Amino acid sequence: TNFYENWIRHQNDIPVDNFYKDAKNRIISKCTQSKNRILEGIYLLNDDKIFDLFKLANKAMLISMVHSKKINNGPFELGASNTDKIDYLDAKEFFWRPFQLTFFFQVLPSLMNEEHVDRETVDLIWFSTGGGKTEAYLFLAAFELLRRRSFFGERGEGVAIINRYTFQFLSMDQFQRTSVMICALEILRKEELQNGNKWIGINRFSI
């Protein structure tokens, strides 16, 4: 956010013709608003419960990324796949790109507060193919699925996320990746239950 703030300041210092000043001010204002939303989202992690959900959603995404990589190395003959227990935290090759985290933090305040001024705002991720857009919104989806159960108990176990695919040929890929994320959440839910914790539900996650 410090880098983004400095970038905004630098863009604002660039002189433009009078014809473009209104457009420049409008864009700078939107960038500043986005920066403030990101900072507000980061500040919410000071809440221990939200931070715990953030960590758990991160772990769910790590699990899903590990298994998605295994899927991409397939298909496997029956019995040929490695089914040994996986130490997910040992997978060091996975990391978040800045735009993925900032998307999460930008949306977080209006996700947590139904009366938030940005509640009706639609945030669009614009990035090149294969850049990580799907993981960015799945991360937010994982957090919301966990949040609803944690905050609302059984009332939060209903439909929480609706995916709409604009191109039919993307449906299979997106459905598979979403399914892997749901399975990762289910792994974590069962682990929590085994440890005597029911805070993310006793009923399974489903898609």
Side-chain angles (χ1 to χ4, degrees), residues 15-23:
V16 297
D17 295 337
N18 288 335
F19 180 80
Y20 299 109
K21 280 188 176 180
D22 287 343

Side-chain angles (χ1 to χ4, degrees), residues 6-194:
N6 289 334
W7 180 85
I8 295 171
R9 187 181 301 112
H10 174 72
Q11 299 304 308
N12 194 40
D13 289 341
I14 298 175
V16 297
D17 295 337
N18 288 335
F19 180 80
Y20 299 109
K21 280 188 176 180
D22 287 343
K24 171 190 172 181
N25 291 336
R26 184 173 66 253
I27 294 171
I28 292 296
S29 176
K30 288 184 177 180
C31 289
T32 302
Q33 181 183 10
S34 179
K35 184 255 308 181
N36 291 336
R37 290 175 65 195
I38 294 167
L39 288 173
E40 184 181 356
I42 293 173
Y43 177 78
L44 287 176
L45 295 187
N46 288 317
D47 184 296
D48 290 340
K49 190 171 185 178
I50 296 175
F51 187 50
D52 286 341
L53 292 170
F54 175 73
K55 291 186 292 184
L56 206 60
N58 267 283
K59 189 172 182 181
M61 290 306 300
L62 175 61
I63 293 172
S64 67
M65 289 176 186
V66 169
H67 284 283
S68 291
K69 182 179 179 181
K70 287 169 66 69
I71 292 171
N72 292 336
N73 291 334
F76 301 98
E77 295 294 332
L78 184 63
S81 177
N82 183 2
T83 57
D84 294 340
K85 185 176 177 60
I86 301 172
D87 183 358
Y88 298 107
L89 297 181
D90 194 45
K92 306 299 184 184
E93 68 268 33
F94 301 105
F95 57 89
W96 290 119
R97 294 183 172 95
F99 87 89
Q100 295 169 315
L101 281 178
T102 52
F103 171 74
F104 176 89
F105 287 124
Q106 182 165 275
V107 177
L108 184 60
S110 58
L111 193 68
M112 297 299 304
N113 179 9
E114 294 183 2
E115 303 299 324
H116 197 279
V117 65
D118 295 314
R119 182 72 175 187
E120 299 299 320
T121 300
V122 176
D123 290 285
L124 175 68
I125 306 177
W126 189 91
F127 210 79
S128 59
T129 300
K133 296 185 295 295
T134 300
E135 287 73 20
Y137 84 74
L138 286 181
F139 179 33
L140 192 64
F143 179 90
E144 174 64 358
L145 287 163
L146 292 166
R147 183 190 76 88
R148 285 168 60 92
R149 288 172 171 240
S150 174
F151 278 73
F152 307 120
E154 290 188 8
R155 293 189 297 114
E157 294 181 2
V159 176
I161 306 294
I162 298 176
N163 286 358
R164 181 177 182 271
Y165 309 119
T166 53
F167 295 106
Q168 188 173 359
F169 69 88
L170 288 176
S171 298
M172 184 65 72
D173 172 73
Q174 295 290 302
F175 182 79
Q176 175 178 291
R177 292 158 81 176
T178 304
S179 298
V180 174
M181 182 270 288
I182 293 295
C183 290
L185 287 174
E186 184 61 9
I187 288 174
L188 294 176
R189 186 190 68 83
K190 289 181 177 179
E191 286 181 353
E192 290 294 316
L193 277 180
Q194 288 172 358

